[in-house]
Amino acid sequence: MTPVLFRGWESVEGRWPDVATVVDHVGVPHLVVTRHALVRQLLTDPATFRPDNALDAVTPIPVAALRVLAGHRFRLPPTLANNSGSSHPEIRGIVADALHPTRVAAQQPWLTDLVRRRVARLATALDAGEAVDLYAELAADLPLLVLGRLVELPDAPVGAVKDFARAALELFWAPLAEDRQLALAAEVGRFHTVLRAFAATGGGLAARLRDAGHSPDVVVGALFFLLVAGQETTSQFLTLLLHRLTGEPSVRAGLRAGEIPVADVVEEGLRMEPPIVTWRRVAAVDTTLGGTPVAAGTSIVAWLARAGRDPEVVAAPDEFRPGQRGSRRHLAFGAGAHRCVGAQLARMEASVVVAEAAPLLDGVTVVRPPWCPDNLTFRMPDAFVVRRA
């Protein structure tokens, strides 16, 4: 297995060229781009570097699993991340309106109250000597609950939606054996059937997309992407940031004293602990990138995590220093026409969690740090257990 493609966040401090060819686990070559300026160039030039391969499965899906998906009428037409066509601006505009900063800000008091109640319960458990899982008991479902309020998502059990989202992230972005692909295809297909039914009659975002004349496949595709990337990545980030803060007592002290703004901690967290470590593009034409020839059709991996530690951009690239020069120039949300439409939502959620939950971390010992499985793009921590020292 190629370490950079599937364990990329563990390799950000090693020496790498600006552009390098790496062959993946099935023998497919990819051009990996590491420097901030080149990653930004790649993401902001969709005519030369198209997003068409963004949702392609990195492990080719076998016929048996494809049949399972087909049985559920599973399709992913170009909607958001993988859409280089003329429909993208309108679809993105409808989704962006649902996630407008004003609407996001209106959710903050409700979320703050919810997080406060959870933190109080967790503090009581910690004071009693219990171990608590800050992923499962605090961070896992928060983004989904907020997203559901904003866009009127299907009324499905939270656990089922989380299982579906993680299954989709694994099916399309992980190195997999065929039997695992078959199991994941069944889980993703089943939930896709639920989404299809909701897309036909649901209100909120689904209704707005239908009213704009978009096909049922497009409505399902937009909902699919929101449920996968619109909430799962944020719960991952909250977990990773809280874990990072357990090892940053001076930052926690600065937060307590009001000397370090919460927003600076969130931005530095996005730079150093991005939940999305890479993103893909495909060259539409013969071109060059950083002086390297790139043939049309080449798969290109933008290494977002490493771009966030570019010494030409950040003063102390490998140190967690909220507010340092270059901290906010990270590319955790991408750049250009396909920049994450939920960036403000993720920032709001992270700010609430840092402000309310950071005091929980004082005096704790990490019993089980977040473990992240092999995945091209997503970190997917599964737990984060702490106990009072």
Side-chain angles (χ1 to χ4, degrees):
M1 186 176 296
T2 306
V4 67
L5 285 183
F6 297 111
R7 307 294 294 182
W9 59 93
E10 295 182 352
S11 311
V12 289
E13 296 180 18
R15 293 182 61 84
W16 270 83
D18 296 356
V19 180
T21 298
V22 177
V23 178
D24 70 15
H25 65 303
V26 292
V28 175
H30 304 266
L31 207 61
V32 178
V33 182
T34 66
R35 295 304 292 271
H36 185 281
L38 294 179
V39 170
R40 185 171 179 81
Q41 176 188 340
L42 180 71
L43 297 176
T44 55
D45 183 2
T48 305
F49 307 105
R50 295 165 66 98
D52 302 19
N53 64 339
L55 307 187
D56 290 354
V58 299
T59 304
I61 299 177
V63 172
L66 288 174
R67 284 178 180 151
V68 170
L69 292 172
H72 291 281
R73 298 168 60 200
F74 181 90
R75 287 185 287 275
L76 280 181
T79 52
L80 292 168
N82 62 337
N83 192 351
S84 59
S86 59
S87 65
H88 177 256
E90 182 181 74
I91 297 171
R92 180 183 172 87
I94 293 171
V95 175
D97 185 61
L99 303 180
H100 190 278
T102 302
R103 289 171 55 81
V104 167
Q107 298 300 318
Q108 186 165 341
W110 172 85
L111 180 63
T112 300
D113 179 65
L114 175 61
V115 172
R116 234 170 236 173
R117 284 185 277 118
R118 290 188 178 185
V119 166
R121 186 176 70 248
L122 292 169
T124 299
L126 286 169
D127 291 344
E130 298 175 21
V132 300
D133 185 342
L134 295 181
Y135 169 72
E137 300 176 60
L138 176 62
D141 64 343
L142 287 178
L144 177 59
L145 296 175
V146 180
L147 190 63
R149 289 168 63 92
L150 285 168
V151 303
E152 300 179 37
L153 288 171
D155 185 18
V158 168
V161 178
K162 297 296 290 185
D163 288 345
F164 150 74
R166 291 179 73 89
L169 295 182
E170 188 178 352
L171 179 61
F172 290 99
W173 285 278
L176 296 169
E178 188 168 332
D179 58 344
R180 181 60 178 163
Q181 288 173 297
L182 198 59
L184 292 168
E187 185 163 359
V188 170
R190 281 193 299 270
F191 198 85
H192 194 267
T193 300
V194 175
L195 279 184
R196 184 168 292 281
F198 173 79
T201 60
L205 177 62
R208 287 192 287 275
L209 288 166
R210 287 197 313 270
D211 292 345
H214 293 289
S215 70
D217 282 349
V218 166
V219 180
V220 174
L223 292 172
F224 179 94
F225 190 72
L226 276 178
L227 281 173
V228 171
Q231 58 84 24
E232 184 62 31
T233 53
T234 306
S235 64
Q236 294 172 23
F237 173 58
L238 299 177
T239 305
L240 296 165
L241 179 54
L242 289 173
H243 177 244
R244 164 65 68 166
L245 287 175
T246 60
E248 302 289 346
S250 62
V251 173
R252 298 200 312 273
L255 282 167
R256 274 197 311 274
E259 297 167 353
I260 297 178
V262 169
D264 285 353
V265 174
V266 171
E267 296 304 320
E268 187 72 340
L270 287 164
R271 183 184 74 81
M272 289 202 75
E273 299 289 349
I276 299 177
V277 291
T278 68
W279 205 246
R280 282 174 292 169
R281 288 290 187 266
V282 60
V285 296
D286 291 343
T287 185
T288 61
L289 198 56
T292 299
V294 182
T298 299
S299 169
I300 308 171
V301 176
W303 197 353
L304 307 178
R306 192 175 179 88
R309 299 195 187 198
D310 190 329
E312 291 192 5
V313 174
V314 187
D318 296 322
E319 297 179 25
F320 194 90
R321 294 187 186 177
Q324 70 167 309
R325 175 182 63 79
S327 178
R328 291 173 179 260
R329 292 181 61 193
H330 61 78
L331 296 170
F333 295 119
H338 289 271
R339 186 177 183 274
C340 176
V341 73
Q344 288 305 108
L345 175 58
R347 284 185 165 111
M348 184 275 283
E349 293 165 336
S351 293
V352 169
V353 169
V354 168
E356 300 298 328
L360 277 180
L361 306 176
D362 291 335
V364 301
T365 296
V366 176
V367 177
R368 188 181 186 284
W371 174 80
C372 302
D374 290 343
N375 196 284
L376 170 65
T377 291
F378 300 95
R379 291 181 65 180
M380 297 176 63
D382 63 336
F384 173 35
V385 182
V386 299
R387 186 193 298 273
R388 288 268 184 248

